[in-house]
Amino acid sequence: MTERTAEWAERALAEAADRHAPASREEQVLERIERARRRKPKISEERVTLAHGAGGKASRTLIEAVFVDAFANPALQPLDDGATLDLGTGRLVFTTDSYVVSPLFFPGGDIGDLAVNGTVNDLAVCGARPMYLSAGFVLEEGFPIADLRRITASMAAAAAKAGVRVVTGDTKVVQRGKADGCYITTSGIGTLDRPVTLGDTQVRPGDAVIVSGPIGEHGITILIARGELDIEADLTSDTAPLHDAVAALLDAVPVRMMRDATRGGVATVLNEVARGAGVAVTVDERAVPVLPVVSGACELLGLDPLYVACEGRFVAVVDGDHASAAVDALRRHPAGEGAAVIGTVEADPPGRVLLKTAFGGTRIVDLLVGDPLPRIC
Amino acid sequence: MTERTAEWAERALAEAADRHAPASREEQVLERIERARRRKPKISEERVTLAHGAGGKASRTLIEAVFVDAFANPALQPLDDGATLDLGTGRLVFTTDSYVVSPLFFPGGDIGDLAVNGTVNDLAVCGARPMYLSAGFVLEEGFPIADLRRITASMAAAAAKAGVRVVTGDTKVVQRGKADGCYITTSGIGTLDRPVTLGDTQVRPGDAVIVSGPIGEHGITILIARGELDIEADLTSDTAPLHDAVAALLDAVPVRMMRDATRGGVATVLNEVARGAGVAVTVDERAVPVLPVVSGACELLGLDPLYVACEGRFVAVVDGDHASAAVDALRRHPAGEGAAVIGTVEADPPGRVLLKTAFGGTRIVDLLVGDPLPRIC
């Protein structure tokens, strides 16, 4: 998940008294964003904490207060999974992600295929055809060459599966104790061949919220693989390329936005949508696909699966009239065979994600400040 | 310096008995490269060492035996500073570099402007106009936010100076003791607007070798900044964007190849040229611009300035008839005002770099296995 933020939108929406002004919906949203931008976010901590890397509220504050403040430009500003660039000759999407997952090898994958699939997926959910990847390695002195071979082999296999090429790279080595084996940063380029416009601001009341498969498998797999918990489970990471399933969805129905649900899980994506679009998202807990082993582990650990990272699932908001066609289209692909409609978009309360629980109640699903699971990707 | 290798070429050239065959020079080089590729390089170590990250022979073996073997494809194969991509609508250059310099702040710069300038320069020396950058941060828990702000501010200033935009990014945080403050991986995209073809294989006997300014300032600055040496010197890093000087050179004269002289210094670049083109490069030691403080520090430390990293200098090979026009063009730019012709390209001995010393002798300038200065960039 490349970083993005919607905190400005959150603040903007708090003053959404002008919802019924004569300006168009998009003009209103853009104006509110602009207004919020003028009030700079503040970071209260003096030092980086693990929460700053967890994808939740702390991450956003860091991004806004430090990175966006330093690098402000129109291509960065939407803080989507990738930047859309017009090079005069055609539109591209450009994205990057660093991978620091621990352990490096886990059931169903390793840091290598995670790094390829993650960048492929960021391109795909931006509507692009993934084409070229770069790979930057930071290796710790003493890292076994055999492990590096295993990682690069799985990167190569993942790249072949996704139809992309690793075309450029770099390696740095740091002393023992200055890294944790191997960190990888992949960047990706994809072409925008379709005329679709995707993004949180395209979302409107009446739309349907879809998830492409069961959630939380990657996060729980990593947690178990760390061996710190007294749990054994027959579970593998969901790490997978999503470009085919995404293309099938785009071909089938009008899509408003898509985002892969990595750090922070589905709950974080839905909060970004609700805040970015100034809408309410209502999720039906019983409709959210979760494997029994994942829900069981979550119960034991006191985690909500909605916040647990996936590495091969995405959230899509589509025209509500085409919800079942969207699910049908996804289910024809291996990466989407567990797809389900999990909720709807409503007008009020703007900026909120509400969960209709299995017991008939309703609760707010907010952003977390940090994440209970550091170094999940 | 994005990685590249010429070891295959080295081995190929060892059997250059067919130098006078009727096939064209370029065909011969390509054929030899192809033949060498069929014999896979081997890596003898079982674990990563600092030498694997130093840009010398050990780095090359790692790249060939692990990365190229895993990711083999035509765009990666030349192992240039960037990959040239044809997206159907126009040609792009795509490059990446990870930065792990220690210390993070040093006289004349910091890891931030180094990360921007390095990627800008990799695009520039591939003949591209640098346009967009991504930035992936790996931060150590506890890293001061004030330092991060200082780094991003210097990245922003460097980006503005080079006319590029940081359009996408990512941040991961690892626990204390799992990094060294801050590592940055930048990737860059540039457009190839000029019809020039650049590369080691374009180099031919009679060409002139130019360096854009005095060498070794960055490496010696870092070494002194570490405080491990009992040396004080009024020296700053040469970190700088090279795109304007490169463009001026390309406009002025027929250029064969360019490469920024980072890890491994000018000596490593020249060895790559000699091996990649199957030519000899003869360097006149007295013509190589070195500041007195750099040559003094090198003498004290037993280093050869030809191997010391620069971060704002590049080597260019140009048509020998245009050598002084090339230097004149460079000297009109701040980044090239210390430019000088330092050598010539000859036919024999192929694959070798020879230094005519100030004392009238001649010695071979070979590739180093590792690098006396780890974590220089």
Side-chain angles (χ1 to χ4, degrees):
Chain A
M1 184 180 72
T2 298
E3 287 158 358
R4 77 200 74 83
T5 176
E7 198 164 319
W8 32 263
E10 178 183 17
R11 286 194 308 275
L13 289 162
E15 44 174 330
D18 58 349
R19 283 185 74 74
H20 304 289
S24 82
R25 176 171 174 70
E26 190 149 342
E27 281 168 350
Q28 288 176 37
V29 171
L30 290 174
E31 193 209 315
R32 273 179 251 145
I33 288 170
E34 193 40 50
R35 223 183 304 149
R37 274 193 58 198
R38 287 193 288 267
R39 271 167 295 148
K40 278 194 182 177
K42 279 183 194 154
I43 190 161
S44 52
E45 296 88 349
E46 287 188 356
R47 289 183 177 273
V48 171
T49 66
L50 286 171
H52 285 124
K57 279 185 185 171
S59 290
R60 291 172 177 223
T61 307
L62 180 75
I63 296 162
E64 282 181 63
V66 179
F67 297 114
V68 175
D69 190 45
F71 302 135
N73 66 66
L76 174 67
Q77 198 56 59
L79 292 161
D80 275 330
D81 273 342
T84 300
L85 310 172
D86 197 331
L87 294 174
T89 51
R91 286 198 309 157
L92 294 181
V93 176
F94 182 31
T95 186
T96 196
D97 263 321
S98 294
Y99 294 86
V100 298
V101 66
S102 169
L104 295 171
F105 302 94
F106 46 82
D110 60 43
I111 191 173
D113 46 26
L114 208 62
V116 170
N117 289 337
T119 292
V120 163
N121 293 347
D122 279 341
L123 294 172
V125 296
C126 288
R129 185 158 59 95
M131 297 194 68
Y132 298 106
L133 260 53
S134 68
F137 294 81
V138 175
L139 302 176
E140 185 185 8
E141 185 185 11
F143 188 64
I145 299 285
D147 286 357
L148 186 60
R149 278 191 199 282
R150 200 173 147 199
I151 289 166
T152 54
S154 94
M155 290 180 80
K161 195 171 171 194
V164 299
R165 285 173 170 178
V166 180
V167 293
T168 190
D170 184 50
T171 314
K172 293 295 186 317
V173 180
V174 296
Q175 299 94 331
R176 265 173 219 275
K178 301 294 185 190
D180 194 6
C182 172
Y183 299 146
I184 304 177
T185 301
T186 45
S187 300
I189 296 177
T191 50
L192 270 178
D193 306 329
R194 296 163 195 273
V196 292
T197 303
L198 299 166
D200 294 340
T201 53
Q202 305 299 310
V203 173
R204 59 202 77 168
D207 287 346
V209 179
I210 288 171
V211 68
S212 66
I215 66 172
E217 287 156 51
H218 177 73
I220 300 298
T221 300
I222 295 296
L223 217 57
I224 293 172
R226 284 188 191 153
E228 296 163 8
L229 305 167
D230 203 15
I231 298 179
E232 279 185 39
D234 188 17
L235 187 64
T236 56
S237 167
D238 49 57
T239 178
L242 295 170
H243 62 298
D244 279 342
V246 163
L249 185 66
L250 287 171
D251 284 340
V253 303
V255 179
R256 313 290 193 214
M257 66 73 61
M258 297 180 286
R259 195 164 297 148
D260 54 336
T262 60
R263 275 186 295 183
V266 168
T268 301
V269 173
L270 297 181
N271 268 279
E272 287 164 351
V273 171
R275 290 153 196 233
V279 296
V281 173
T282 303
V283 176
D284 180 356
E285 188 172 30
R286 288 161 308 180
V288 178
V290 188
L291 295 187
V293 56
V294 171
S295 55
C298 282
E299 246 171 72
L300 274 170
L301 300 167
L303 296 172
D304 181 340
L306 281 172
Y307 291 98
V308 179
C310 318
E311 288 291 338
R313 309 288 183 232
F314 68 104
V315 171
V317 178
V318 304
D319 185 324
D321 295 338
H322 296 78
S324 44
V327 168
D328 289 348
L330 283 171
R331 285 189 179 162
R332 281 194 287 273
H333 281 268
E337 58 187 18
V341 178
I342 62 165
T344 53
V345 175
E346 284 155 35
D348 292 298
R352 285 291 181 200
V353 178
L354 302 174
L355 186 75
K356 286 191 207 160
T357 69
F359 306 106
T362 298
R363 66 174 174 87
I364 290 174
V365 177
D366 205 354
L367 278 178
L368 299 184
V369 171
D371 191 313
L373 314 174
R375 295 184 59 191
I376 211 76
C377 58
Chain B
M1 183 180 74
T2 297
E3 286 158 355
R4 75 199 75 83
T5 176
E7 197 164 321
W8 32 263
E10 177 183 19
R11 288 193 307 276
L13 290 163
E15 42 174 333
D18 58 349
R19 283 187 73 74
H20 305 290
S24 82
R25 175 170 176 70
E26 189 149 343
E27 281 168 352
Q28 289 177 36
V29 171
L30 290 173
E31 192 209 314
R32 274 179 253 147
I33 288 170
E34 191 43 49
R35 222 183 304 148
R37 274 195 55 199
R38 288 192 287 266
R39 273 167 294 148
K40 277 195 185 180
K42 279 181 194 155
I43 187 161
S44 53
E45 296 90 347
E46 288 187 358
R47 291 185 176 272
V48 171
T49 66
L50 286 171
H52 285 123
K57 279 185 184 169
S59 290
R60 293 174 175 221
T61 308
L62 180 75
I63 295 163
E64 282 181 62
V66 179
F67 297 113
V68 175
D69 190 45
F71 303 135
N73 66 65
L76 175 67
Q77 198 57 59
L79 293 161
D80 274 330
D81 273 341
T84 300
L85 310 172
D86 198 330
L87 294 174
T89 51
R91 287 197 308 156
L92 293 181
V93 176
F94 183 31
T95 186
T96 196
D97 263 321
S98 294
Y99 294 86
V100 299
V101 66
S102 171
L104 295 171
F105 303 94
F106 46 82
D110 59 44
I111 191 173
D113 46 27
L114 208 62
V116 169
N117 289 337
T119 291
V120 162
N121 293 347
D122 279 343
L123 294 172
V125 296
C126 287
R129 185 159 58 97
M131 297 193 69
Y132 298 106
L133 261 53
S134 68
F137 294 81
V138 175
L139 302 176
E140 185 185 9
E141 184 185 10
F143 187 64
I145 299 285
D147 286 357
L148 187 59
R149 277 190 199 282
R150 199 173 147 197
I151 290 167
T152 53
S154 95
M155 292 179 78
K161 195 171 170 193
V164 299
R165 285 173 171 178
V166 179
V167 292
T168 189
D170 185 50
T171 314
K172 294 293 187 314
V173 180
V174 296
Q175 299 93 333
R176 264 171 218 276
K178 301 294 183 188
D180 194 7
C182 171
Y183 299 147
I184 304 176
T185 301
T186 45
S187 298
I189 297 178
T191 50
L192 271 179
D193 306 329
R194 297 163 194 272
V196 293
T197 303
L198 299 167
D200 294 341
T201 53
Q202 305 300 311
V203 172
R204 62 202 73 166
D207 287 345
V209 179
I210 288 170
V211 68
S212 65
I215 66 172
E217 288 157 50
H218 177 74
I220 299 298
T221 300
I222 295 294
L223 216 59
I224 295 173
R226 284 186 192 154
E228 295 161 8
L229 305 167
D230 203 15
I231 299 180
E232 278 182 43
D234 188 18
L235 187 64
T236 57
S237 167
D238 49 57
T239 178
L242 295 170
H243 62 297
D244 279 341
V246 163
L249 185 66
L250 286 170
D251 284 340
V253 302
V255 179
R256 312 292 191 214
M257 66 75 58
M258 296 179 285
R259 196 163 296 148
D260 53 335
T262 60
R263 275 187 294 183
V266 168
T268 301
V269 172
L270 296 181
N271 268 280
E272 287 163 352
V273 171
R275 289 152 197 232
V279 296
V281 173
T282 303
V283 175
D284 180 355
E285 188 172 29
R286 288 162 308 179
V288 178
V290 188
L291 295 187
V293 55
V294 171
S295 56
C298 281
E299 246 171 72
L300 274 171
L301 299 166
L303 297 172
D304 181 342
L306 280 172
Y307 292 98
V308 178
C310 318
E311 289 290 337
R313 308 287 182 234
F314 68 105
V315 171
V317 179
V318 304
D319 184 324
D321 294 338
H322 297 78
S324 44
V327 168
D328 289 347
L330 282 171
R331 286 189 179 162
R332 280 194 288 272
H333 281 267
E337 57 186 19
V341 178
I342 63 166
T344 53
V345 176
E346 284 155 35
D348 291 300
R352 285 290 181 202
V353 179
L354 303 174
L355 186 75
K356 287 192 208 158
T357 68
F359 307 105
T362 298
R363 66 174 174 86
I364 290 174
V365 177
D366 205 352
L367 277 178
L368 299 184
V369 172
D371 190 313
L373 314 174
R375 296 185 56 194
I376 210 78
C377 58

